[in-house]
C-alpha cells in the first residue's frame, strides 16, 4: 500500500522543517520529488539528502505568491519530470512572521502578507498544476491549514481567516474536479516544534494539548502519504486534524 513509484510530487516551502520532512517521506515511498523554496541553498540541501538516499529529486526556487513565478516553476518541472501528480501546498507564514496582536491595531499591509502566502499562493499553485491533472484524469492536492481556522484564536484573526479560506477553497474545488480523478484535501495542524523554540516554551505550549506535547513532522507525514496515494481515491473535500487533539470537532 501507499506506493508512490512513478509519481511526481511537488512540495512548496520544502527547504526545511515540515516541508523537508514531507519531501523525505514521499521520496521514501518512491515518488520523484520537487523541492520548492525561496532559498535555493536550503532547497539544494534537501535535494542532496534525498538523492544521497537513492531518491530522485530536483529543486526549484520560486515565489509562490507570484503567479508568473509559479507558472515558470511548473513548466520547469514538467520539462524535467513530465508531469506533476501530487501537489503539497506547504509554504506559508505564521502570524509571528509579521507580528501577532489585537486585530483592531493591526496593519492592513500585514493582512495582505498573510493572505497572499497562506491563501492566494495556494490558488496560484493549484491553478498551475490542475490542467495537467485534469488532462491525465489523476491528481492529489493537499494543503496545510491550521487549527486556528477551525477553533478561532485571539490575536491571529487574519491568519485564521487565510487558513480557513484555503480550507473552504479546497472543499469547493474538490466538488469541481472529483469526477476527473483529482482529489483535494487539507491537513489542519496544531503547533509543531520549531528550531526557534526553547525546551521551556515547548513544554509550556505542549501542556495545552490532550496528548501532552507539541507535534513534530513525523506526526504529520503518515497522513500526507495516505492522501497522496492511490488508496485515497474516495477521500476528497476533507480537512484532517493532525493536532494532538487540540481541535475536537
Amino acid at each position: 500500500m501507499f506506493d508512490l513509484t512513478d509519481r511526481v510530487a511537488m512540495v512548496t516551502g520544502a527547504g526545511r522543517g515540515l516541508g523537508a520532512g514531507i519531501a523525505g517521506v514521499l521520496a521514501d515511498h518512491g515518488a520523484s520529488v520537487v523541492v520548492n523554496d525561496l532559498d535555493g541553498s536550503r532547497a539544494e540541501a534537501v535535494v542532496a539528502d534525498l538523492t544521497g538516499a537513492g531518491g530522485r529529486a530536483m529543486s526549484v526556487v520560486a515565489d509562490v505568491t507570484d503567479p508568473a513565478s509559479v507558472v515558470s516553476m511548473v513548466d520547469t518541472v514538467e520539462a524535467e519530470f513530465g508531469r506533476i501528480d501530487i501537489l503539497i501546498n506547504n509554504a506559508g507564514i505564521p502570524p509571528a512572521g509579521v507580528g501577532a496582536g489585537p486585530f483592531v491595531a493591526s496593519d492592513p499591509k500585514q493582512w495582505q502578507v498573510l493572505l497572499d502566502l497562506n491563501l492566494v499562493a495556494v490558488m496560484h499553485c493549484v491553478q498551475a498544476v490542475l490542467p495537467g491533472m485534469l488532462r491525465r484524469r489523476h491528481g492529489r492536492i493537499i494543503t496545510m491549514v491550521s487549527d486556528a481556522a477551525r477553533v478561532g484564536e485571539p490575536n491571529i484573526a487574519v491568519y485564521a481567516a487565510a487558513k480557513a479560506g484555503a480550507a473552504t477553497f479546497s472543499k469547493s474545488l474538490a466538488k469541481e474536479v472529483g469526477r476527473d480523478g483529482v482529489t483535494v484535501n487539507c491537513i489542519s495542524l496544531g503547533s509543531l516544534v520549531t528550531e526557534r523554540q526553547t525546551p521551556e516554551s515547548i513544554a509550556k505550549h505542549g501542556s495545552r494539548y490532550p496528548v501532552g506535547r507539541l507535534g513534530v513532522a513525523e506526526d504529520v507525514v503518515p497522513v500526507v502519504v495516505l492522501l497522496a496515494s492511490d488508496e485515497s481515491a474516495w477521500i476528497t473535500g476533507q480537512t484532517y486534524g493532525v493536532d494532538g487533539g487540540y481541535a475536537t470537532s
Side-chain angles (χ1 to χ4, degrees):
M1 296 180 69
F2 313 128
D3 182 8
L4 301 178
T5 302
D6 297 327
R7 299 298 189 195
V8 178
M10 184 169 76
V11 187
T12 67
R16 61 183 176 184
L18 177 60
I22 291 171
V25 77
L26 294 175
D28 288 345
H29 283 77
S32 299
V33 180
V34 180
V35 178
N36 159 255
D37 203 90
L38 268 178
D39 186 321
S41 61
R42 286 200 307 239
E44 285 291 347
V46 174
V47 167
D49 288 342
L50 299 182
T51 56
R56 185 181 182 213
M58 66 180 290
S59 66
V60 183
V61 175
D63 178 359
V64 292
T65 68
D66 174 23
S69 184
V70 171
V71 169
S72 177
M73 172 172 63
V74 171
D75 288 346
T76 298
V77 174
E78 290 182 341
E80 178 67 22
F81 286 155
R83 66 194 188 280
I84 297 171
D85 302 298
I86 303 160
L87 169 65
I88 313 293
N89 288 307
N90 172 73
I93 184 171
V98 296
F103 176 74
V104 69
S106 63
D107 183 347
K109 292 180 181 178
Q110 293 180 340
W111 305 351
Q112 200 60 54
V113 172
L114 289 166
L115 291 167
D116 282 347
L117 194 47
N118 293 306
L119 173 57
V120 179
V122 170
M123 296 177 178
H124 290 326
C125 292
V126 169
Q127 191 174 51
V129 304
L130 197 53
M133 291 180 175
L134 294 175
R135 192 166 55 248
R136 291 183 297 274
R137 300 190 63 79
H138 178 276
R140 299 287 182 266
I141 297 171
I142 304 164
T143 298
M144 299 298 154
V145 295
S146 168
D147 275 1
R150 294 203 291 164
V151 304
E153 291 288 356
N155 299 317
I156 55 172
V158 179
Y159 171 79
K163 290 297 190 180
T168 303
F169 164 73
S170 298
K171 287 184 179 183
S172 296
L173 185 67
K175 293 184 176 182
E176 290 186 24
V177 300
R179 285 179 171 79
D180 297 296
V182 180
T183 65
V184 189
N185 293 288
C186 294
I187 297 175
S188 183
L189 301 175
S191 293
L192 303 181
V193 173
T194 71
E195 59 191 22
R196 297 183 296 274
Q197 293 170 300
T198 65
E200 293 75 18
S201 69
I202 292 171
K204 176 182 177 181
H205 292 298
S207 67
R208 301 163 59 195
Y209 286 75
V211 299
R213 65 174 177 85
L214 298 184
V216 293
E218 290 77 10
D219 295 317
V220 181
V221 293
V223 184
V224 175
V225 173
L226 166 64
L227 295 177
S229 71
D230 287 349
E231 283 77 10
S232 67
W234 213 50
I235 302 172
T236 195
Q238 304 303 309
T239 297
Y240 281 82
V242 182
D243 60 1
Y246 189 75
T248 56
S249 61

